[in-house]
Amino acid sequence: MRKIELLVPASSLEVLKIAVVFGADAVYIGGEAFGLRAKAKNFSKEDMAEGIAFAHEHGVKVYVTVNILAHNDDLPGVREYLQELKELKPDALIIADPGIFTYAREICPEIECHISTQANNTNYETYRFWYRLGAKRVVTARELSLKEIREIRANIPDDMEIETFIHGAMCISYSGRCLLSNYLVGRDANQGACTHPCRWKYSVVEEKRPGEYMPVYENERGTYIFNSKDLCMIEHMDDVLNSGIDSLKIEGRMKTALYVATVARTYRKAIDDYLESPEKYKANMPWYQEQISNCTYRQFTTGFFYGKPDQNTQIYDNNTYVKEYTYLGYAEEVDEKGLAHITQRNKFCVGETIEIMKPDGRNLSVTVRTIYDENGESVESAPHPQQKLAVDLGTEIEKYDLLRRAEASEN
């Protein structure tokens, strides 16, 4: 079996560090321009340098997205940006546009080029085309089945790599190329500014009856006609790991540290368990299923992997996520008294039961004993996000452990 990489998204320096600690082999990030997640926090040049250094210290690779579909006005800025990335030395650039690819090969040929799913990579001749131009890896179009991916593997050079999304939100368009956002609100998805109109609720107005809004019924359950379920292959890692894929990619450069930690940790264990023993993987399936459902999601589907999706891969009655846990923060430092120093993300109180989520798979239920504010004063609760706190949880905690609260326990 080929060496398998777990590739995890990071929206910020904080999330990158969590992804690394919780099991990623590689992390993909975006800078402040030329990536397809303009609304993500993204990385400044300084944060990117720190993140790459942190990842490399832990033996983890970093890939940077430069995957917009460029217009003429973008090209001078792209050249400047690639010059910056040359200095920062990420392990690869993720590119969709042939023009940007040409610049990358000219300006920083020492950095690998990976071809984004946005390039609609649906057959092995496309892979061969990019390989001849110098690409190391191509990301499959999400429209491919596992059968088609195995055929690609059999028909491309052995040293060429295949990357495939195995978990996360599914864009309703063809390989992510969508005009809805641009057409409806003037924000171009292919320039990183998607407003996700595929999640909106729609009605129909008849031309001669202005102001009369008639609901769109795909069936009796509702009106969310574009709303796909989320991709999840945790129950099918045996098929995925034997398909010839080199890199298993998690979607989510807009997601929180809690989401990234949960998904990375679960897939890390599933991959390692299967490689150790398929029987161990099967035996631990209930744990994977429970853990993966602990992060925010929109019901699950296997997408196109086993053939074309049917109506059961859509959600017609709502556009909301299932949310099991609330993220409270992570242990940025642990002092000599055993207090966890965190930047608080959501309210919690003394006496409340929360969980410590550890990279090794353990979840420890603890009671908050004391909370100290940044002045060292004891407080009963932490109501305001971004407060700097020191927390006594009455048990051992380590740097980068996450704190979360089950929704049922929320006050």
Side-chain angles (χ1 to χ4, degrees):
M1 183 180 292
R2 302 172 69 87
K3 180 173 171 53
I4 306 296
E5 172 186 273
L6 178 61
L7 177 56
V8 178
S11 60
S12 65
L13 181 58
E14 170 195 335
V15 178
L16 179 147
K17 291 179 178 179
I18 294 298
V20 168
V21 172
F22 276 75
D25 296 307
V27 179
Y28 66 102
I29 66 176
E32 294 176 318
F34 309 118
L36 284 180
R37 289 294 181 269
K39 290 191 290 181
K41 294 177 184 177
N42 291 319
F43 284 70
S44 65
K45 183 177 180 180
E46 294 73 24
D47 281 353
M48 195 177 291
E50 184 178 342
I52 291 170
F54 181 88
H56 288 175
E57 287 168 9
H58 290 78
V60 172
K61 295 180 178 180
V62 178
Y63 309 144
V64 178
T65 59
V66 197
N67 58 343
I68 66 162
L69 301 179
H71 289 244
N72 293 334
D73 291 345
D74 296 315
L75 294 179
V78 168
R79 294 190 69 92
E80 293 176 14
Y81 186 48
L82 290 172
Q83 289 286 358
E84 287 186 8
L85 293 178
K86 182 181 180 71
E87 298 171 15
L88 293 171
K89 298 181 173 59
D91 297 279
L93 307 177
I94 303 173
I95 296 171
D97 188 296
I100 295 178
F101 179 88
T102 301
Y103 284 177
R105 299 307 295 156
E106 171 198 333
I107 294 168
C108 42
E110 71 280 8
I111 302 176
E112 286 185 8
C113 284
H114 297 175
I115 305 304
S116 170
T117 188
Q118 298 286 129
N120 306 118
N121 309 302
T122 56
N123 63 76
Y124 55 77
E125 288 294 354
T126 296
Y127 275 68
R128 290 172 175 171
F129 168 83
W130 286 114
Y131 182 80
R132 288 192 295 269
L133 291 178
K136 174 67 174 177
R137 176 186 296 185
V138 174
V139 187
T140 60
R142 68 84 184 257
E143 293 80 19
L144 295 186
S145 66
L146 286 171
K147 176 178 179 292
E148 290 175 295
I149 292 171
R150 286 191 288 267
E151 289 172 350
I152 289 173
R153 176 78 274 160
N155 287 279
I156 62 175
D158 192 59
D159 63 337
M160 189 177 198
E161 296 175 354
I162 299 174
E163 179 179 304
T164 299
F165 282 98
I166 60 162
H167 189 94
M170 295 276 282
C171 183
I172 202 69
S173 69
Y174 193 88
S175 287
R177 291 194 176 191
C178 183
L179 288 174
L180 277 178
S181 182
N182 200 352
Y183 183 79
L184 294 176
V185 296
R187 292 177 58 172
D188 192 344
N190 302 306
Q191 292 271 303
C194 185
T195 55
H196 302 103
C198 56
R199 310 299 187 198
W200 298 353
K201 186 174 183 177
Y202 289 91
S203 297
V204 172
V205 177
E206 198 272 325
E207 181 181 12
K208 295 181 180 179
R209 301 179 192 178
E212 292 186 32
Y213 296 94
M214 295 169 280
V216 178
Y217 287 108
E218 181 103 355
N219 67 12
E220 70 280 1
R221 288 180 287 174
T223 64
Y224 295 88
I225 56 175
F226 304 124
N227 196 20
S228 174
K229 293 180 180 179
D230 284 356
L231 179 65
C232 178
M233 291 298 287
I234 198 68
E235 298 177 13
H236 306 280
M237 296 306 291
D238 47 354
D239 290 342
V240 170
L241 293 171
N242 288 287
S243 64
I245 298 170
D246 298 277
S247 181
L248 310 183
K249 190 170 192 175
I250 309 298
E251 183 276 336
R253 278 204 301 118
M254 303 284 284
K255 299 292 190 180
T256 66
L258 177 58
Y259 175 93
V260 167
T262 302
V263 178
R265 187 179 71 164
T266 306
Y267 277 95
R268 173 81 279 145
K269 182 166 174 56
I271 293 167
D272 293 347
D273 285 352
Y274 183 84
L275 295 179
E276 180 182 336
S277 162
E279 290 71 28
K280 183 176 182 180
Y281 166 73
K282 292 176 183 176
N284 285 333
M285 185 62 69
W287 186 88
Y288 314 138
Q289 292 168 326
E290 178 190 10
Q291 295 304 307
I292 211 70
S293 68
N294 285 343
C295 61
T296 305
Y297 67 98
R298 190 192 281 109
Q299 301 180 32
F300 289 137
T301 175
T302 57
F304 291 76
F305 281 124
Y306 296 103
K308 292 184 178 180
D310 59 20
Q311 67 273 14
N312 294 317
T313 64
Q314 299 292 109
I315 306 171
Y316 300 107
D317 59 352
N318 67 79
N319 69 341
T320 59
Y321 285 92
V322 178
K323 184 179 181 183
E324 303 287 348
Y325 281 87
T326 296
Y327 178 43
L328 304 179
Y330 77 99
E332 298 166 22
E333 297 292 340
V334 179
D335 65 24
E336 66 278 359
K337 297 178 182 178
L339 300 178
H341 291 256
I342 73 169
T343 302
Q344 174 255 14
R345 298 306 198 278
N346 287 285
K347 179 182 177 181
F348 65 102
C349 305
V350 171
E352 193 169 3
T353 299
I354 64 173
E355 284 187 4
I356 300 173
M357 182 181 172
K358 290 184 167 288
D360 63 9
R362 290 179 293 152
N363 302 313
L364 307 181
S365 181
V366 296
T367 300
V368 180
R369 295 170 63 172
T370 315
I371 302 173
Y372 299 97
D373 65 18
E374 56 189 325
N375 298 317
E377 300 291 330
S378 175
V379 295
E380 286 300 309
S381 68
H384 306 299
Q386 302 302 314
Q387 286 181 278
K388 299 290 185 180
L389 305 173
V391 187
D392 180 2
L393 300 173
T395 190
E396 182 180 336
I397 187 169
E398 298 173 284
K399 189 174 182 179
Y400 299 114
D401 285 354
L402 262 72
L403 304 183
R404 67 184 188 181
R405 179 184 57 227
E407 283 292 293
S409 301
E410 196 164 356
N411 290 334

